[in-house]
Amino acid sequence: MRDQAPQPGARPAESFAARFGDGVVEALFPLVPLFYLVRLLSPAELGLLGLALAGTALWQHLIALRAESVVGGADGPDSATAARDRAVVTALGVCGLAALAVACSVLAIALPAFALVFALAPALAAIRFVDSLELAGVVDEGCIARHRMISMLGNLIGLVLTVGLISGLELGWPGRILALVLAEGGVVIVRAILLARRGRGHSVAWEPSRARALIGAAAPTLAAALLLFVLDHCNRLVALGTLTMTDVGAFVVAYRVGSSVVVINRSLAFALAPRVKTCLRPDRLGALRRLHIAYGLVILALGAAIAVAFMTAGPWILGPVFAPVAPIVAIVTLGYGFQGVQRVGGIMRTRFGLPAPSPWHLNAGALLGLAVGLVLAPTLGAPGVALGSALGLATVAVLSAVTAHRALPRYVR
């Protein structure tokens, strides 16, 4: 959901069609295992899997308080400062993982029904933390593409392992987590070998003063990440507290399908950003507004098309057991469709040196979505919680767009 598009150094005429194709391919990778899982697992089992993945996302941020996002600072990813910072962040990670292990052990004892969630999620969170540390500071598009190909290969291996562990060994939903641990762990090892050959292998350095500086520098990023977590995952937590585990499973499906719109939108940002930049002139503001409206409508139409597809062909796409989930998928996916409006606004805000998305916008969207979901859950059930999620996502998008255009007179003269 982040709006900052990497500066790829691409030509302004870079093809939207090519980027759309890349985004579709990247979006399909997570959907293939989903379509497999909905035919093998019950909604309640998928709910437990979703809680484990939500825990993974949350704990990955907390392991080092997102200090991995600021390694190197102004000196760049290949500097001596970056190498030192990675070692300091690794030490932070060791401490964070030790604290996480203790906390999850206590939670597993206190909530035995979720013991496997607290046992498996930290392992995957640790691997994803290391992966994010290895990719910290990678901004060159060629490197990003290469790492993306490695990740896609890992996803493919993860799918094969998932089928083997669930269909072959009948491990149920924990088999999916174990498959991800093995596949993504392998990717981390491959990257570690490549980094070691470049003289950037992993090391540990205990420097409390530098650790505090990195944590302080990463505080805004951590706050934004936690707010994004609430926006993306609070619906399954609301469902857990007010509805049933079956409803939690419904929101796991809805999030995975809706996030495919996010992936395509993010891919298109590489072609969109140069066009937005060329319109940030006093004589091109009309073209900027037309681009904003057109792009926002296209992404919203994409979300609507996916929503309609699930509403009309839910039993065929999801299977008979998960067919009732289709309306939830449609509502949440429409919410993610508003991110086209947010994307242009976010690129503008980034060009102005403003945070994108703004933590204030995320906070407003998260609180509104959470409040609406809690209010509507007792009467409307899961659709009410889904409406809260969609409203929260739309709120962030609209606020981002409005504030970006209001800032134009200050930054475009």
Side-chain angles (χ1 to χ4, degrees):
M1 189 172 168
R2 287 302 184 88
D3 296 312
Q4 296 98 320
Q7 300 300 316
R11 297 184 303 273
E14 187 172 5
S15 170
F16 273 107
R19 283 298 177 183
F20 181 79
D22 290 343
V24 169
V25 171
E26 192 175 351
L28 285 175
F29 268 93
L31 291 179
V32 173
L34 174 69
F35 296 149
Y36 165 76
L37 291 169
V38 295
R39 285 165 171 78
L40 269 292
L41 302 179
S42 69
E45 289 177 306
L46 197 63
L48 287 169
L49 173 60
L51 291 176
L53 292 174
T56 296
L58 176 61
W59 294 328
Q60 178 187 345
H61 297 320
L62 297 179
I63 286 174
L65 303 178
R66 290 308 305 272
E68 70 275 10
S69 65
V70 293
V71 297
D75 294 337
D78 295 316
S79 64
T81 300
R84 171 194 174 199
D85 286 349
R86 287 189 182 89
V88 173
V89 172
T90 301
L92 274 174
V94 171
C95 296
L97 283 171
L100 177 61
V102 173
C104 286
S105 298
V106 172
L107 289 170
I109 294 172
L111 301 168
F114 300 97
L116 276 176
V117 171
F118 295 117
L120 295 174
L124 185 56
I127 289 170
R128 291 184 174 177
F129 161 72
V130 175
D131 181 69
S132 64
L133 179 59
E134 290 177 344
L135 292 177
V138 176
V139 294
D140 178 74
E141 189 184 0
C143 291
I144 291 172
R146 185 161 57 250
H147 285 299
R148 185 179 294 132
M149 289 300 299
I150 294 174
S151 296
M152 286 186 175
L153 178 60
N155 288 335
L156 185 59
I157 295 171
L159 176 59
V160 173
L161 289 172
T162 298
V163 174
L165 293 174
I166 294 179
S167 294
L169 300 181
E170 299 183 351
L171 293 183
W173 73 265
R176 174 59 176 167
I177 299 295
L178 289 173
L180 292 174
V181 167
L182 293 173
E184 296 183 22
V187 169
V188 163
I189 291 172
V190 169
R191 286 203 179 105
I193 293 172
L194 294 176
L195 289 171
R197 289 178 178 175
R198 294 177 55 191
R200 285 173 45 182
H202 293 289
S203 59
V204 179
W206 303 96
E207 297 185 26
S209 60
R210 184 57 182 168
R212 286 193 295 271
L214 290 171
I215 291 171
T221 303
L222 175 62
L226 294 177
L227 289 169
L228 282 169
F229 172 84
V230 174
L231 268 175
D232 288 333
H233 300 288
C234 72
N235 48 34
R236 68 186 73 173
L237 300 178
V238 171
L240 178 65
T242 61
L243 302 173
T244 67
M245 188 60 70
T246 296
D247 295 304
V248 177
F251 284 108
V252 174
V253 178
Y255 167 73
R256 182 53 61 197
V257 174
S259 63
S260 64
V261 179
V262 180
V263 172
I264 294 171
N265 185 28
R266 184 174 61 233
S267 182
L268 288 173
F270 285 95
L272 179 65
R275 289 163 171 82
V276 174
K277 179 182 177 182
T278 60
C279 291
L280 290 176
R281 302 201 311 256
D283 60 330
R284 296 293 309 279
L285 296 185
L288 174 65
R289 294 186 180 94
R290 290 191 295 272
L291 175 64
H292 199 160
I293 293 171
Y295 185 82
L297 289 176
V298 166
I299 299 300
L300 184 58
L302 173 64
I306 296 174
V308 170
F310 275 84
M311 287 295 293
T312 56
W316 181 79
I317 299 173
L318 297 173
V321 175
F322 281 85
V325 170
I328 310 302
V329 174
I331 295 171
V332 174
T333 302
L334 276 175
Y336 280 109
F338 280 93
Q339 290 202 346
V341 177
Q342 180 182 341
R343 178 64 63 185
V344 179
I347 292 172
M348 292 167 61
R349 289 178 60 86
T350 300
R351 296 293 305 178
F352 301 156
L354 302 172
S358 166
W360 294 107
H361 301 164
L362 291 172
N363 190 57
L367 289 177
L368 183 62
L370 187 61
V372 171
L374 288 170
V375 169
L376 296 181
T379 54
L380 298 181
V385 180
L387 285 171
S389 294
L391 184 59
L393 291 165
T395 297
V396 176
V398 171
L399 288 174
S400 181
V402 169
T403 56
H405 282 277
R406 284 184 174 178
L408 277 171
R410 297 199 304 273
Y411 295 95
V412 179
R413 297 174 181 175

